[in-house]
Amino acid sequence: KDVGYRQGMHELCGLVYFAIEASLSSPDEVEAVCYFLSRWLINALLPLYDPRQADPTQKYRMGSPAPKTKPVFACETIFDSLKASDP
C-alpha cells in the first residue's frame, strides 16, 4: 500500500545513516545499506504514517488539513504537555 512521503520519514533515514556511517568503509556502501535499512524500517512503521489509519473521530473535509497520523498526534500531545509545564 502506498501512502507516499509523510513528515518524519527522512528523520528515520537520518538515524539509520548516523548508526551505520562509522561501521562501513565506502560512501557507496553506506548509501546502499542506508537505503535498504531505511526502506525496511519505513515499511515496518508504515501503519503509523498511513492517514487512513488516523483517528476515525476526526472529521475531514476537502480543503481542510489532512487527518493527523499517530506520530503527529503523539508529538503534538508531548509539545502541548511541555508548553503547559514550561510556558
Side-chain angles (χ1 to χ4, degrees):
K1 93 183 145 177
D2 183 22
V3 298
Y5 172 79
R6 295 285 179 236
Q7 184 65 34
M9 289 181 173
H10 66 281
E11 280 95 348
L12 294 175
C13 295
L15 290 172
V16 170
Y17 182 88
F18 181 76
I20 65 170
E21 178 187 26
S23 64
L24 299 172
S25 57
S26 78
D28 289 339
E29 189 178 30
V30 171
E31 182 180 351
V33 171
C34 184
Y35 171 80
F36 286 106
L37 287 176
S38 296
R39 185 174 172 178
W40 176 86
L41 183 60
I42 289 171
N43 281 331
L45 297 175
L46 202 57
L48 295 175
Y49 289 95
D50 189 345
R52 295 169 289 203
Q53 303 291 326
D55 182 356
T57 63
Q58 295 182 61
K59 304 258 188 246
Y60 177 72
R61 294 187 198 127
M62 190 63 94
S64 65
K68 295 176 185 168
T69 59
K70 292 175 186 177
V72 170
F73 182 76
C75 287
E76 286 182 355
T77 302
I78 292 168
F79 293 148
D80 290 343
S81 296
L82 290 172
K83 282 184 207 174
S85 299
D86 187 18

